[in-house]
Amino acid sequence: PSPDACPGGNTTLPGMCHSGMSSGAPSPTVAKPDAAFPSPPMSPVPKPSGHLEASPKDSEAEEENSDEEDDEDEAPNEDAGPGSTAVYAPPTPTGSLVHQWAEDLPEVKPTDDQTVRVFCGVWNLHGKPAPADVGPWLLTKPGHHIYVVGTCECERSIEKSMIWKDKSRWETQVKHHLGEDYRMIKSHNMSAIHVMVFVHRHLWRYVWDIKSAQVATGFANFVGNKGGAQIGFSIGHTSMLFTTAHLAAHANKMKLRTQNLARILTDSTLRRDKTRSGVHEDYDRVFFMGDLNPRVSARRSDVDQWLQAREFERCLERDQLRPLLLADSAGQADAAAGFWPHFQEAAINFPPTYKFDAHTDRYDSSKKQRVPSWTDRILWKRDPQVRAKAYGSVQCLQSSDHRPIFAQFEVTVDLTEWEGAQSEANGGKKSSSVCTLQ
């Protein structure tokens, strides 16, 4: 059995594997305390039957390689405090946290308020291949009309991806996982940053104007070790843009991450109207996700105690990203927040997704003692036509030092009187053409 397989591999009963929020109502921008669950004593989460434990020797060797290749190398945390090295991610509460609709994936109708289901998944794989079974993360029950899968450092490290960036094996794996009802309309890869979009057959006839782009924000804004990969397309009369990004590392680089965001939005070749502030204003529905790298600005020892008591909110109060998303919520723009206030996020009710010891649910026990943080995020442009239904992490996939995350959405699109791409290009007017052969 795969060491990363969830117990039984059952994606319809993910309570043993998933952690997060699920709601039938639109989600708030800020997280609320997770008071619904008791605070169990800290202990390692039991491994499924057949779990393969790495030997101490293998673990030490992997840690050495990790330190050599880790682009997020940081100085040791002097504020770690005693007992930090034995802290584990809180056990996942029982019960499904995946949103389940009352009906199977419905066919779409040519209306101006058609709802489509969108699934977004993000994972930094730390230079490793994805596990053979990605079912616990890329959920097929329930089904979604659109799947957007974004990865960082998938299959190989950043350094190796600069030379060999091919991700065809990974794309084929996801294609086979989703099945023949889905078609990959586009993928884009920039070094180790990759994004792909799959669309269900119910929507094939409505999809058009498919484009992709990339914006590097690495060294000299040229190297693609950091930046964003983008896919834009339209469904009927509604345009959509999805960006997978890997932003600057290190706890003290939030200002640089804000600059990274600005560059990705303003320098994108997908921009249509240069008089607007960025590409996010050129598309109707916009999602921005990936390893955005915000950290929790607190002592490691304090964070360990809060996590042990499942006091996520105390950690989130020190999250670097959340105040930037809310910077103009009172109607007062904050220049230091950059473009972040244009986006929002669902409530976070899952443990920090970074940084774990390899093949365990134990947070970083190396000499660096990195503070557990929610580095992996899924955001969307503020829009009442986008409604978050669930936001969570997958705790049982442990091949990386990050945990994968996912979000489920209902998104309203306009399919009314759709006559095809040519009609849309002509402003909705029907056109005719004549060809004469002599």
Side-chain angles (χ1 to χ4, degrees):
S2 167
D4 290 311
C6 285
N10 190 337
T11 61
T12 62
L13 295 173
M16 299 180 67
C17 190
H18 296 77
S19 180
M21 59 78 68
S22 176
S23 172
S27 305
T29 303
V30 297
K32 296 181 179 179
D34 190 8
F37 304 114
S39 301
M42 243 16 179
S43 63
V45 176
K47 301 296 186 296
S49 175
H51 182 84
L52 304 180
E53 283 287 357
S55 68
K57 184 176 181 181
D58 291 340
S59 298
E60 291 174 6
E62 185 164 354
E63 182 63 32
E64 284 185 17
N65 293 334
S66 171
D67 287 343
E68 291 176 2
E69 298 179 359
D70 192 353
D71 69 307
E72 303 186 27
D73 195 23
E74 298 178 13
N77 184 353
E78 297 178 354
D79 295 326
S84 303
T85 58
V87 171
Y88 294 79
T92 303
T94 57
S96 174
L97 291 165
V98 174
H99 182 77
Q100 298 287 348
W101 283 271
E103 58 179 337
D104 293 335
L105 192 65
E107 294 191 21
V108 297
K109 300 178 181 179
T111 64
D112 61 358
D113 59 351
Q114 172 63 51
T115 296
V116 297
R117 302 175 188 173
V118 177
F119 179 97
C120 294
V122 169
W123 196 2
N124 183 326
L125 282 139
H126 200 205
K128 301 175 180 62
D133 181 12
V134 294
W137 172 41
L138 304 181
L139 306 169
T140 56
K141 293 181 180 180
H144 300 75
H145 294 96
I146 300 172
Y147 282 86
V148 184
V149 183
T151 56
C152 301
E153 304 179 43
C154 180
E155 301 206 335
R156 56 192 67 88
S157 67
I158 291 177
E159 292 81 1
K160 293 178 181 178
S161 295
M162 300 290 287
I163 300 172
W164 185 29
K165 64 180 183 179
D166 179 67
K167 298 293 188 298
S168 57
R169 189 207 67 82
W170 169 230
E171 293 172 358
T172 300
Q173 179 181 352
V174 175
K175 178 181 179 181
H176 289 163
H177 171 70
L178 295 179
E180 59 184 12
D181 284 340
Y182 290 88
R183 179 181 300 167
M184 187 177 75
I185 63 169
K186 192 72 173 179
S187 68
H188 195 98
N189 190 62
M190 181 178 69
S191 297
I193 305 170
H194 182 266
V195 61
M196 51 184 162
V197 176
F198 289 82
V199 175
H200 191 271
R201 57 184 175 81
H202 290 340
L203 287 176
W204 288 351
R205 67 180 296 264
Y206 296 101
V207 177
W208 66 291
D209 195 26
I210 306 168
K211 301 175 181 178
S212 68
Q214 65 185 50
V215 180
T217 63
F219 180 73
N221 283 330
F222 176 77
V223 180
N225 62 313
K226 293 293 188 290
Q230 301 173 316
I231 295 179
F233 59 97
S234 291
I235 299 179
H237 306 289
T238 303
S239 57
M240 306 185 77
L241 176 66
F242 294 89
T243 300
T244 294
H246 195 178
L247 305 187
H250 304 309
N252 62 345
K253 297 295 185 181
M254 193 62 214
K255 181 178 179 180
L256 181 55
R257 290 188 276 276
T258 300
Q259 295 171 354
N260 292 165
L261 170 67
R263 176 171 170 79
I264 291 170
L265 297 180
T266 58
D267 288 8
S268 172
T269 57
L270 298 183
R271 290 189 64 177
R272 300 169 179 173
D273 186 348
K274 296 299 178 68
T275 64
R276 296 175 175 173
S277 63
V279 69
H280 60 291
E281 293 190 2
D282 292 326
Y283 284 81
D284 300 318
R285 314 283 182 260
V286 179
F287 295 80
F288 192 89
M289 61 190 194
D291 183 356
L292 308 187
N293 255 323
R295 307 303 173 93
V296 172
S297 298
R299 290 164 52 97
R300 171 66 188 264
S301 55
D302 290 337
V303 172
D304 289 345
Q305 292 177 11
W306 298 333
L307 292 179
Q308 185 172 358
R310 286 192 68 86
E311 295 178 343
F312 294 162
E313 182 64 21
R314 297 191 69 177
C315 297
L316 287 164
E317 287 172 356
R318 292 155 179 81
D319 175 69
Q320 294 175 341
L321 179 57
R322 199 163 69 154
L324 300 180
L325 296 174
L326 298 173
D328 67 347
S329 60
Q332 298 178 348
D334 183 354
F339 285 95
W340 293 117
H342 291 275
F343 295 88
Q344 68 182 108
E345 183 179 33
I348 294 178
N349 288 313
F350 51 89
T353 58
Y354 174 87
K355 174 181 173 73
F356 289 89
D357 292 347
H359 304 294
T360 75
D361 55 8
R362 183 178 60 243
Y363 286 109
D364 184 22
S365 63
S366 72
K367 62 182 179 181
K368 296 172 185 175
Q369 290 285 290
R370 296 172 181 85
V371 176
S373 299
W374 289 273
T375 57
D376 311 283
R377 312 291 271 267
I378 299 173
L379 315 176
W380 69 95
K381 185 174 72 173
R382 295 179 181 276
D383 183 353
Q385 305 304 323
V386 178
R387 301 169 295 281
K389 309 302 291 184
Y391 191 26
S393 63
V394 184
Q395 298 299 312
C396 63
L397 296 182
Q398 301 178 349
S399 57
S400 170
D401 59 349
H402 291 251
R403 292 293 178 266
I405 64 171
F406 68 94
Q408 296 168 277
F409 298 93
E410 289 182 346
V411 179
T412 301
V413 297
D414 182 3
L415 305 181
T416 185
E417 298 181 357
W418 175 247
E419 298 290 344
Q422 186 62 42
S423 175
E424 186 74 8
N426 293 333
K429 299 179 181 179
K430 294 184 178 180
S431 62
S432 61
S433 58
V434 176
C435 177
T436 302
L437 299 177
Q438 295 181 336

